[in-house]
Amino acid sequence: MVYYTALTANMEKDYDRALKYFQLCIENNYEVKGDVYSYMAEIYKNKGNIDKTKELLNTAFSKFPTSQSVLVSLINAYLESNDDPNKVLVYIHQAQKNEPQNASLLYAEGNVWKKLNNIDKAVELYKKSSELDPNYYFGSFATGAVYYDKAVELQAKAAEELDDAKYEALVKQLEANLEAAIEPFEKCFNVTSDNEVKVVCAEYLKNIYFRFRDKGENYKTNYEKYNAIMEAGKK
């Protein structure tokens, strides 16, 4: 009841009341895997108190190092305050020392490097997370998404390029990234038991194979396969 009172107050932007009841949640050890701290941190950010925001998120991460919502909020807090987001890596590396077999912590570190625009390092960590735990499909999905997003970015650049040689070079790069996205997306598709995730992977793969459908019968067959899966999943 205290938690939902806090949530309702927060939705109504009655921040002082929300903080009062979120604090009561903490005092009663009802922290909802760190979400209570995240809500409080967001309130303090809205109030312009970024130091308190980071303090709460640092506390939350130390208690719940595998919480992606806490980690993302922590990264954004450092980025938005023009502070060094590399500081977040200190917390992640400590958590990794405590739980060296926790694949999600490698994935979390990959997210930090992605935020820092170090895509190669991000992919390295995503791959390591799925290698550490073959059933941890998030790493494979994130790897595929990185390559796919890069291809979309290159496609946008190619569309604005007037020089034929430069255009062809960009197209070659974007297709290489699409090709690179196939294996991790298919790995994720095969590993996960979550049907929604399978449908999302199928949509990505359908789009990729559609582009390459004229390259060979295998590409055309896979396009039809994933298109059927995606359509079935929407029903």
Side-chain angles (χ1 to χ4, degrees):
M1 290 295 292
V2 171
Y3 177 65
Y4 286 111
T5 299
L7 287 180
T8 302
N10 192 39
M11 290 172 64
E12 295 176 349
K13 298 185 179 181
D14 187 348
Y15 294 138
D16 290 337
R17 179 177 170 81
L19 286 172
K20 173 184 174 181
Y21 283 97
F22 280 133
Q23 184 60 45
L24 280 173
C25 288
I26 293 174
E27 291 172 6
N28 285 279
N29 296 315
Y30 192 82
E31 299 171 333
V32 197
K33 296 182 179 179
D35 285 354
V36 169
Y37 291 97
S38 293
Y39 282 121
M40 293 179 73
E42 186 65 24
I43 290 172
Y44 278 109
K45 186 170 75 171
N46 290 334
K47 286 173 167 284
N49 190 340
I50 194 65
D51 289 335
K52 185 65 175 179
T53 297
K54 288 189 283 190
E55 176 189 326
L56 285 163
L57 291 172
N58 286 334
T59 299
F61 186 75
S62 67
K63 290 186 174 184
F64 308 97
T66 62
S67 170
Q68 290 303 304
S69 62
V70 169
L71 178 61
V72 170
S73 296
L74 185 58
I75 295 168
N76 288 336
Y78 276 94
L79 290 173
E80 291 170 16
S81 65
N82 293 318
D83 203 341
D84 184 4
N86 282 287
K87 292 179 181 178
V88 180
L89 294 172
V90 174
Y91 297 99
I92 293 178
H93 291 159
Q94 183 58 52
Q96 288 171 348
K97 288 180 182 178
N98 295 335
E99 299 182 69
Q101 298 303 310
N102 191 329
S104 66
L105 292 173
L106 291 171
Y107 172 80
E109 183 178 355
N111 285 342
V112 175
W113 288 110
K114 185 179 178 182
K115 282 282 187 180
L116 293 170
N117 293 315
N118 190 331
I119 301 304
D120 290 340
K121 187 67 175 178
V123 168
E124 176 188 333
L125 271 298
Y126 291 147
K127 288 181 177 179
K128 282 184 178 179
S129 72
S130 57
E131 288 168 3
L132 180 63
D133 181 357
N135 293 318
Y136 188 76
Y137 61 83
F138 296 99
S140 297
F141 183 87
T143 301
V146 164
Y147 287 129
Y148 191 92
D149 290 346
K150 183 63 177 178
V152 171
E153 178 187 324
L154 289 165
Q155 186 173 38
K157 290 181 179 179
E160 298 176 354
E161 184 55 64
L162 300 178
D163 184 284
D164 289 343
K166 291 181 180 179
Y167 171 81
E168 291 298 331
L170 287 169
V171 169
K172 187 175 181 180
Q173 290 178 51
L174 83 85
E175 291 189 342
N177 276 276
L178 288 177
E179 289 272 17
I182 292 175
E183 188 273 335
F185 275 138
E186 290 193 327
K187 182 177 180 181
C188 179
F189 180 89
N190 292 325
V191 169
T192 184
S193 58
D194 187 319
N195 192 58
E196 289 185 12
V197 176
K198 282 185 178 292
V199 171
V200 173
C201 288
E203 184 166 9
Y204 276 115
L205 289 163
K206 179 209 76 169
N207 294 338
I208 296 171
Y209 279 119
F210 179 78
R211 183 178 182 90
F212 298 130
R213 66 193 183 285
D214 295 329
K215 289 184 67 173
E217 191 62 31
N218 181 56
Y219 288 94
K220 183 180 178 182
T221 299
N222 279 318
Y223 160 70
E224 293 170 350
K225 168 188 172 181
Y226 289 112
N227 184 54
I229 292 170
M230 190 195 73
E231 292 299 326
K234 289 182 175 180
K235 294 179 181 178

